[in-house]
Amino acid sequence: MRVFRPTARLAAMLLASSLLVGCASSGSTDEEEDEFAGVAERELYEEARDSLERRNFTAAITRLEALDTRFPFGNHAEQAQLELIYAYHESGDWEAARAASSRFIRLHPSHPQADYALYMRGLASWQAGRFSLERLKLIDISKRDLGASRDAYTDFSELVRLYPNSQYAPDAQQRIVYLRNLISRHELHVADYYLRRGAYLAAVERGRWVIENYPETEASRDALAVMVEGYLGLEMRDRAREVLEVLIENAPRHDQLRGRTFEPRHVRAQSLSA
């Protein structure tokens, strides 16, 4: 079989073409890098501010990122980092908003607006955990993965703890109440799943976790019912009766109660009377 071998002239042409392609590629990169070359810090910051005011967040982010890169210790460095958090948030880039907030808190833990950065970090997680159909009540987000919502709960709780007098604390506290109920409801969905699958000990543990961590939520009453039913599944009727007494005391009108008698929903067991 004959093997094709390029002539010296063809090899030289191929080499020249590859160099031209490389130069063109590196040229576009340099052009991007040089977009703000020679632009003074103040001018770049004013351009970013103007873009923010016009709600052109793409342009604002480009300029704030350039400002952060070119003038990391400049006069506008800290303010640019704060406004970059805001720009990421308003553009819907929750991950970038969280990362920028975490970076600001790490670099400036004693900054007067560290509470703002922490609040925005929680708010980004809050937004990441929302779903567009939630308001229409077409889905129950407590049945979804709540990783982002748990992050938001942690951030807002930390804000209230570290900065109780912050202007953002009241709003954070309200969101904590909502998230506390959301997370506890989610745990109960998991507990119900365990009951249906016959994992009674796991269901009891989930119910106990809700009661221990979120005793003030409405879900804590259902958590007691989960524990009663889980103990019935484990054939521990004495323990089930102890929890039933607590359920009757705290939620006498619970939908699984008929007077002082508990009706199991998922477990094949006789009704239990206190």
Side-chain angles (χ1 to χ4, degrees):
M1 182 177 67
R2 184 178 179 183
V3 180
F4 174 75
R5 298 182 184 281
T7 63
R9 175 177 290 185
L10 179 58
M13 290 175 61
L14 291 173
L15 177 60
S17 297
S18 64
L19 290 174
L20 286 173
V21 171
C23 290
S25 175
S26 62
S28 62
T29 302
D30 291 341
E31 183 178 351
E32 292 175 2
E33 291 178 353
D34 292 339
E35 179 180 358
F36 302 109
V39 179
E41 178 191 3
R42 182 174 182 80
E43 181 182 353
L44 191 54
Y45 177 72
E46 289 177 350
E47 288 182 7
R49 287 290 306 169
D50 181 64
S51 296
L52 284 175
E53 290 174 2
R54 290 186 287 105
R55 299 190 65 79
N56 185 349
F57 297 113
T58 300
I61 288 170
T62 300
R63 283 154 179 77
L64 289 168
E65 287 178 343
L67 192 64
D68 189 41
T69 300
R70 292 177 175 273
F71 307 100
F73 305 106
N75 295 327
H76 302 285
E78 294 177 3
Q79 189 60 32
Q81 291 170 14
L82 287 168
E83 290 173 358
L84 189 57
I85 295 170
Y86 173 77
Y88 283 139
H89 179 271
E90 291 300 298
S91 68
D93 193 341
W94 317 126
E95 184 177 349
R98 276 191 61 81
S101 299
S102 296
R103 176 172 176 260
F104 185 88
I105 294 168
R106 184 179 67 253
L107 294 176
H108 316 288
S110 302
H111 194 278
Q113 295 191 64
D115 60 331
Y116 169 78
L118 183 54
Y119 173 74
M120 291 299 290
R121 190 172 74 180
L123 202 58
S125 292
W126 169 280
Q127 296 290 359
R130 308 279 65 77
F131 297 89
S132 60
L133 297 181
E134 179 190 358
R135 293 181 180 177
L136 301 179
K137 300 185 183 301
L138 297 181
I139 63 174
D140 184 352
I141 62 174
S142 67
K143 297 181 181 179
R144 298 291 195 93
D145 175 50
L146 298 185
S149 294
R150 292 181 191 276
D151 289 340
Y153 181 85
T154 299
D155 288 335
F156 290 139
S157 297
E158 186 176 357
L159 172 65
V160 171
R161 180 179 62 85
L162 294 177
Y163 308 101
N165 298 321
S166 168
Q167 62 178 309
Y168 308 106
D171 181 74
Q173 186 61 60
Q174 291 184 4
R175 294 177 191 273
I176 287 170
V177 172
Y178 172 85
L179 290 167
R180 185 185 292 133
N181 285 297
L182 176 70
I183 295 170
S184 60
R185 281 168 49 209
H186 178 268
E187 293 297 324
L188 289 181
H189 283 304
V190 177
D192 280 347
Y193 171 79
Y194 285 147
L195 287 175
R196 291 194 299 270
R197 296 298 296 269
Y200 303 126
L201 181 59
V204 168
E205 291 302 318
R206 287 279 177 163
R208 179 181 291 113
W209 188 90
V210 170
I211 294 167
E212 290 176 351
N213 290 275
Y214 306 110
E216 65 275 32
T217 63
E218 289 291 328
S220 63
R221 300 171 183 179
D222 289 328
L224 287 168
V226 164
M227 292 183 66
V228 173
E229 194 158 351
Y231 280 130
L232 287 176
L234 293 169
E235 298 183 356
M236 301 173 66
R237 294 182 71 85
D238 289 341
R239 293 297 302 274
R241 189 170 284 107
E242 291 175 5
V243 181
L244 176 57
E245 293 281 1
V246 180
L247 175 62
I248 293 172
E249 181 181 349
N250 288 273
R253 296 184 179 180
H254 192 275
D255 59 6
Q256 285 183 261
L257 290 177
R258 302 295 179 268
R260 295 181 62 83
T261 300
F262 180 85
E263 299 291 341
R265 182 177 295 160
H266 303 295
V267 176
R268 293 183 178 179
Q270 294 182 348
S271 301
L272 180 68
S273 297

